[in-house]
Amino acid sequence: MFDTSKQITLDGTVRQFQFTNPHCYIQLMVDGTEWSLEMGAPVYLANRGWRPSTLKPGDRIRVTASPLRSGANGALVLNVVSLEGKPIGNMR
């Protein structure tokens, strides 16, 4: 589903952070286009410092991700930082 041989970087504004089973998602607005960014399960993320309140609508973030093979606006999240480079949660 995801092309793990490639990485993209997206700078955008959080529209929604879904901290739900079976996978968490960040809905990110990038230049007027919405991206759906898949993450791990809530228990996995919670063990790495993520909480339902970690991201809020309006937060500006930079995401490194593996894109969908289809070319649609979706990806698997590898890392999240603020636009200033401050780590958000821990993905590794």
Side-chain angles (χ1 to χ4, degrees):
M1 180 170 179
F2 301 104
D3 186 348
T4 56
S5 71
K6 296 181 183 173
Q7 288 188 5
I8 58 173
T9 300
L10 301 167
D11 290 354
T13 303
V14 175
R15 187 183 71 73
Q16 184 179 31
F17 178 47
Q18 302 165 4
F19 199 79
T20 57
N21 278 315
H23 297 276
C24 298
Y25 284 87
I26 301 171
Q27 298 303 124
L28 189 69
M29 298 303 295
V30 180
D31 298 327
T33 302
E34 186 168 351
W35 283 73
S36 184
L37 307 175
E38 186 172 328
M39 304 173 80
V43 69
Y44 173 85
L45 293 176
N47 287 332
R48 285 158 179 77
W50 288 83
R51 301 292 179 261
S53 61
T54 298
L55 294 175
K56 297 168 212 53
D59 286 351
R60 301 269 302 143
I61 60 173
R62 176 171 292 135
V63 177
T64 304
S66 292
L68 284 170
R69 291 185 188 275
S70 69
N73 294 336
L76 176 65
V77 174
L78 302 173
N79 191 41
V80 182
V81 297
S82 70
L83 291 185
E84 296 77 32
K86 179 184 174 194
I88 299 173
N90 179 7
M91 295 300 297
R92 297 170 197 232

